[in-house]
Amino acid sequence: LKTGWCGLLATTNTDLQEHKFSITGYSGDKGFNQMWTMCDSLKKITNNELAYEIDTNSGQNGAGIWLNKWGSPYVVGVHTH
């Protein structure tokens, strides 16, 4: 088992559009007992919302929306539905 850390990133919308994003969590359609990660680019960015077509399921609500920058993971939002 390996633990680590994840930073919190606040940046410009332009910078966000240049990255692929991931959501990691215990997906309900996989039995809630395995952690899965899905990734894609953002489709739309507003002041209050990051829109994407990343395949998620129940159990992943509350998971961080994260990207890899400077060789480390950074959370930029929270998956809600």
Side-chain angles (χ1 to χ4, degrees), residues 45-75:
I45 302 171
T46 69
N47 288 339
N48 299 314
E49 184 178 62
L50 302 173
Y52 44 83
E53 293 179 0
I54 298 173
D55 186 24
T56 61
N57 204 301
S58 61
Q60 291 176 290
N61 292 337
I65 303 168
W66 61 276
L67 60 89
N68 193 332
K69 189 171 179 84
W70 306 299
S72 297
Y74 288 89
V75 172

Side-chain angles (χ1 to χ4, degrees), residues 4-12 15-16 21 50 62-70 72-79:
W5 66 275
C6 189
L8 180 63
L9 180 66
T11 188
T12 65
D15 187 36
L16 290 175
F21 293 83
L50 302 173
I65 303 168
W66 61 276
L67 60 89
N68 193 332
K69 189 171 179 84
W70 306 299
S72 297
Y74 288 89
V75 172
V76 297
V78 177
H79 177 67

Side-chain angles (χ1 to χ4, degrees), residues 21-42:
F21 293 83
S22 298
I23 297 174
T24 303
Y26 292 91
S27 185
D29 64 336
K30 305 295 184 196
F32 295 109
N33 60 2
Q34 292 181 352
M35 187 174 281
W36 287 76
T37 299
M38 302 298 209
C39 65
D40 200 355
S41 55
L42 295 176

